Amino acid sequence: MNILGISAFYHDSAACLIIDGKIIAAAQEERFTRKKHDSSFPQHAIDYCLAEGGLQNSDLDLVAFYEKPFQKFDRLLSTYLSYAPKGFASFIKAMPLWLKQKLWIKDYLAETLNFDGKIIFPEHHESHAASAFFPSPFSEAAFLTIDGVGEWTTSSFGIGHGSQIEIMSEMRFPHSLGLLYSAFTYFTGFRVNSGEYKLMGLAPYGEPEYVKTITDHLIDLKEDGSFKLDMKYFNFAAGLSMTNTHFAKLFDGPARKPESKITQREMNIARSIQIVTEDILLKMVRYVHSQTNQKNLVMAGGVALNCVGNGRILREGPFENIWIQP
């Protein structure tokens, strides 16, 4: 069974080849084009993977795309409608690409790959869960996936067993730990979907001055790790930016301009959101343990790249073993 997996048209496009259940090759398109975070169709990565497997396109049994475009489009339209007329500029910018390309992914894949076989579209967080559980050393484990947003889901958990994964529960847009963290990435002058590690790295240099501000105003956090964001302070649902003037008032002034000098304020903001993120992660992990009764945990999604938070999960969490998709 030869399976080609593809992610494309968002950030860091990539391809992966699986032959009879084993990962033979995987690569990001940026490695070949030398364009950082290249989001274009990963033709070079696909060619590399097939060459590593000694295969032609005609040898493929299945092609999998990493998410469901129609569900994602549904979320975009629903969000724009609920915030209208706010967000019109963002709507006008996003629609041409969707109407021209993203809605026709199945046809595009079949034509570009010259492939007339089966093409499937697992859900975004189902893909994350699969990427966390199947390559892990465990035959059974709980999984936790946390990122910005897939189609509607922003985090999910469940159990992987043998060749099956079962999603038990999920949190939905706009309430997202990944988008909360990315809002602070944006506000401190770094690039969303790539500069989050810089925010994490800045945290040790600051003081937790804004922790109470975050927990009092931005987030309503429950004991199970679920939460609701107060969208009064955020602009990502409909706008072209992550935060707004209400957010800026809470954090003592406008967002830092990219590449400008980093001040103690940014360091304190970084420390504060990192602490809040770690607390949320620990609540989530403890709840997942209570619901799954598993001793092993696997994690994936952008927030699972927060290695400082992962360190606390390892030291303070209830799971015996942890494996994280790198």
Side-chain angles (χ1 to χ4, degrees):
M1 173 67 80
N2 304 321
I3 303 172
L4 178 68
I6 296 171
S7 70
F9 309 130
Y10 184 39
H11 64 82
D12 302 283
S13 290
C16 176
L17 177 66
I18 295 175
I19 299 179
D20 294 334
K22 291 186 178 178
I23 298 171
I24 303 302
Q28 286 179 280
E29 186 69 0
E30 69 169 22
R31 300 299 180 180
F32 305 95
T33 63
R34 315 307 297 169
K35 294 178 185 172
K36 194 169 178 65
H37 305 300
D38 194 342
S39 63
S40 62
F41 186 75
Q43 189 61 59
H44 298 88
I46 290 168
D47 292 343
Y48 161 77
C49 288
L50 291 174
E52 285 291 297
L55 301 179
Q56 303 292 323
N57 290 11
S58 57
D59 298 319
L60 293 172
D61 296 294
L62 190 69
V63 171
F65 192 73
Y66 77 119
E67 65 180 5
K68 294 184 180 294
F70 282 104
Q71 284 190 20
K72 193 170 186 178
F73 189 62
D74 171 60
R75 190 246 305 165
L76 288 172
L77 284 184
S78 298
T79 303
Y80 283 130
L81 282 170
S82 63
Y83 283 86
K86 186 181 173 186
F88 185 70
S90 177
F91 176 81
I92 290 298
K93 189 174 180 181
M95 282 308 105
L97 186 59
W98 273 96
L99 296 174
K100 183 180 176 183
Q101 184 182 61
K102 289 187 176 182
L103 282 177
W104 318 109
I105 291 287
K106 193 167 189 175
D107 294 339
Y108 182 87
L109 291 173
E111 185 178 334
T112 306
L113 297 172
N114 192 24
F115 179 70
D116 60 2
K118 190 174 183 181
I119 300 173
I120 63 167
F121 296 85
E123 287 189 348
H124 186 101
H125 277 258
E126 189 178 16
S127 295
H128 274 317
S131 81
F133 176 62
F134 293 132
S136 79
F138 312 129
S139 59
E140 189 169 284
F143 63 79
L144 176 60
T145 68
I146 321 166
D147 65 5
V149 61
E151 297 87 1
W152 280 100
T153 306
T154 60
S155 68
S156 74
F157 77 83
I159 296 176
H161 179 79
S163 62
Q164 302 295 318
I165 51 173
E166 177 199 353
I167 295 176
M168 296 167 62
S169 185
E170 62 182 25
M171 221 160 73
R172 288 167 71 85
F173 182 85
H175 311 294
S176 164
L177 185 54
L179 290 173
L180 174 66
Y181 203 86
S182 290
F184 282 90
T185 302
Y186 167 86
F187 192 75
T188 50
F190 303 119
R191 182 177 163 180
V192 171
N193 284 332
S194 70
E196 283 76 12
Y197 75 96
K198 296 180 181 180
L199 188 66
M200 181 182 70
L202 195 62
Y205 298 95
E207 298 298 326
E209 181 184 334
Y210 297 103
V211 168
K212 194 170 187 305
T213 303
I214 295 169
T215 55
D216 283 357
H217 296 279
L218 299 187
I219 186 168
D220 178 17
L221 178 62
K222 306 302 181 188
E223 269 309 302
D224 62 1
S226 66
F227 60 84
K228 280 194 163 28
L229 297 178
D230 187 340
M231 295 306 294
K232 167 187 170 184
Y233 298 99
F234 300 95
N235 206 32
F236 61 76
L240 292 168
S241 62
M242 295 296 292
T243 62
N244 56 29
T245 54
H246 297 294
F247 190 100
K249 284 177 186 174
L250 285 181
F251 297 97
D252 302 324
R256 169 182 166 259
K257 288 193 170 83
E259 306 305 325
S260 64
K261 184 180 178 181
I262 294 172
T263 68
Q264 191 62 45
R265 180 188 73 143
E266 283 77 53
M267 298 176 196
N268 294 346
I269 288 172
R271 179 68 177 275
S272 302
I273 186 56
Q274 179 64 29
I275 286 174
V276 171
T277 299
E278 290 171 18
D279 289 344
I280 294 170
L281 285 173
L282 282 167
K283 285 180 187 295
M284 283 183 169
V285 165
R286 287 171 182 143
Y287 182 70
V288 170
H289 184 261
S290 74
Q291 296 300 300
T292 62
N293 296 312
Q294 296 290 315
K295 66 177 183 178
N296 305 316
L297 174 69
V298 297
M299 295 174 65
V303 180
L305 291 173
N306 193 305
C307 53
V308 179
N310 293 344
R312 285 195 65 191
I313 291 170
L314 189 64
R315 292 189 303 272
E316 302 171 40
F319 286 94
E320 291 179 30
N321 307 299
I322 297 176
W323 192 86
I324 298 162
Q325 169 54 255

